[in-house]
Amino acid sequence: MTSLIVSGIFSALPTEVFANQISSIHTVGNVFDTSNATSAASINKTIVLNAAEVGEDETAEEGEDETAEEGEDETAEEGEDEKAEGSAGEMYRWVDSTGAENPDLNIISNTEYTIKIDNPTDEEHELIIDSESAGNTSAIAESGDIEPGKNVEFKFKAEQVGELGYHCKYHPEMMNGTINVS
């Protein structure tokens, strides 16, 4: 769904109608709808796909409540347990330059793209691009480990038209998406 404001009138249009019928748009503000986000590589063939943590505030509140109720000797042990549980409960996503979470990426076959990834989280991540053929999934490109607070850049080219997947080696269930190759 895309929002359009013309002369003070607000209208919500399906993305397909909006994209196919409007030829010139002037951006007044940012509107984000990440429910079915699609991201295309920029003209300079660069894809920005960063690691992001979501739901961090809930975990911190749980840890604070738990240590406030426990005695001093038990606090360290409970705090450590709570921190370990909190880490398991943290959620991560790949986020593009518009803020879309785990966006579909649209690229052109036989074109080399630079993928830039920043990792501001406290966890290690690794972007893996994979292909599925005859029921077998195989990695066709990898970013290498991206340590907390670091960034990486690598080149990638898809040689065939079709659909590829991408995911984090360490968080594959929550950090994943689709690459459409045309």
Side-chain angles (χ1 to χ4, degrees):
M1 190 66 73
T2 300
S3 299
L4 175 64
I5 300 175
V6 179
S7 300
I9 300 170
F10 175 81
S11 177
L13 303 172
T15 304
E16 296 78 22
V17 171
F18 185 74
N20 293 331
Q21 296 181 1
I22 306 291
S23 61
S24 177
I25 300 172
H26 297 284
T27 304
V28 175
N30 293 326
V31 177
F32 298 111
D33 177 5
T34 60
S35 61
N36 190 14
T38 300
S39 177
S42 65
I43 294 172
N44 64 0
K45 309 297 184 237
T46 300
I47 298 170
V48 176
L49 198 60
N50 298 319
E53 186 173 353
V54 294
E56 183 177 335
D57 293 336
E58 287 179 23
T59 305
E61 289 172 12
E62 289 174 16
E64 289 170 4
D65 292 344
E66 193 67 34
T67 54
E69 294 174 11
E70 299 297 327
E72 193 171 319
D73 292 337
E74 295 174 337
T75 303
E77 292 175 8
E78 289 296 322
E80 289 172 14
D81 291 343
E82 189 65 31
K83 189 181 283 184
E85 290 174 18
S87 294
E90 292 172 348
M91 296 182 59
Y92 299 98
R93 299 285 189 266
W94 293 116
V95 178
D96 71 7
S97 59
T98 69
E101 295 179 1
N102 294 332
D104 286 351
L105 303 173
N106 298 310
I107 64 172
I108 299 170
S109 66
N110 294 310
T111 302
E112 186 174 77
Y113 291 87
T114 299
I115 300 177
K116 295 181 177 186
I117 304 170
D118 186 34
N119 181 10
T121 73
D122 293 334
E123 294 287 325
E124 181 176 36
H125 301 284
E126 180 177 356
L127 178 72
I128 298 176
I129 299 173
D130 52 39
S131 173
E132 188 173 326
S133 177
N136 296 321
T137 302
S138 59
I140 57 174
E142 299 176 357
S143 66
D145 287 338
I146 312 163
E147 299 294 328
K150 302 292 183 184
N151 55 47
V152 299
E153 185 176 305
F154 69 101
K155 305 275 187 200
F156 166 71
K157 179 176 19 173
E159 296 179 1
Q160 295 183 356
V161 172
E163 190 174 281
L164 303 173
Y166 69 89
H167 67 274
C168 174
K169 175 181 177 178
Y170 304 107
H171 309 96
E173 295 301 316
M174 53 182 118
M175 297 179 80
N176 58 65
T178 301
I179 300 174
N180 300 303
V181 184
S182 59

